[in-house]
Amino acid sequence: MSRRILVVEDHEENRRIMRDLLTAAGYEMIEALTGEEGIALAERQRPDLILMDIQLPGLDGYETTRRIKAQPALRAIPIIAVTSYALSGDDVKAREAGCDDYVTKPFSPRALLAKMREFLG
């Protein structure tokens, strides 16, 4: 069975890039366009890992991460922030919200997959 990855990302082009990368690497991708949808899909689908954009309409990625990590049944799911926020301290802010790691856009596909494998074993 392939690992299921939830991608919370509001931009279609970024989702297409992720879809191509993840499916080529043998992962099953679930897509959410908003934080609210991301929370609902995490609850319903129980993904193996979540790739979280920070800049989202409505709930931002920080708050979405907090709400997912606040649920005991979802707390163990690793969340990697994948964001264009690259200012000093943004990685700390992501970790404080509950993200397990942080990758800036544009990202190296090889580096992102390696980071994902760290969490997926």
Side-chain angles (χ1 to χ4, degrees), residues 39 52 54 59-72 74-75 79 92-99:
I39 294 165
M52 179 73 66
I54 297 300
L59 286 184
D60 67 16
Y62 299 127
E63 183 59 26
T64 302
T65 297
R66 281 187 208 96
R67 291 187 188 187
I68 290 170
K69 291 290 190 172
Q71 297 185 47
L74 306 178
R75 189 171 294 138
I79 299 178
V92 173
K93 197 170 172 184
R95 288 180 200 282
E96 286 173 350
C99 291

Side-chain angles (χ1 to χ4, degrees), residues 9 50 89 98 106:
E9 168 64 64
I50 299 171

Side-chain angles (χ1 to χ4, degrees), residues 7-66:
V7 175
V8 185
E9 168 64 64
D10 59 323
H11 288 98
E12 172 56 37
E13 181 64 15
N14 293 337
R15 282 196 317 280
R16 185 191 59 74
I17 291 166
M18 291 287 204
R19 193 178 311 119
D20 291 348
L21 174 66
L22 296 177
T23 55
Y27 295 111
E28 177 188 340
M29 180 174 146
I30 309 162
E31 301 178 35
L33 280 65
T34 66
E36 292 87 346
E37 190 179 342
I39 294 165
L41 283 171
E43 291 169 345
R44 217 169 35 249
Q45 300 279 332
R46 303 293 163 103
D48 297 294
L49 184 134
I50 299 171
L51 297 175
M52 179 73 66
D53 186 23
I54 297 300
Q55 211 170 353
L56 295 166
L59 286 184
D60 67 16
Y62 299 127
E63 183 59 26
T64 302
T65 297
R66 281 187 208 96

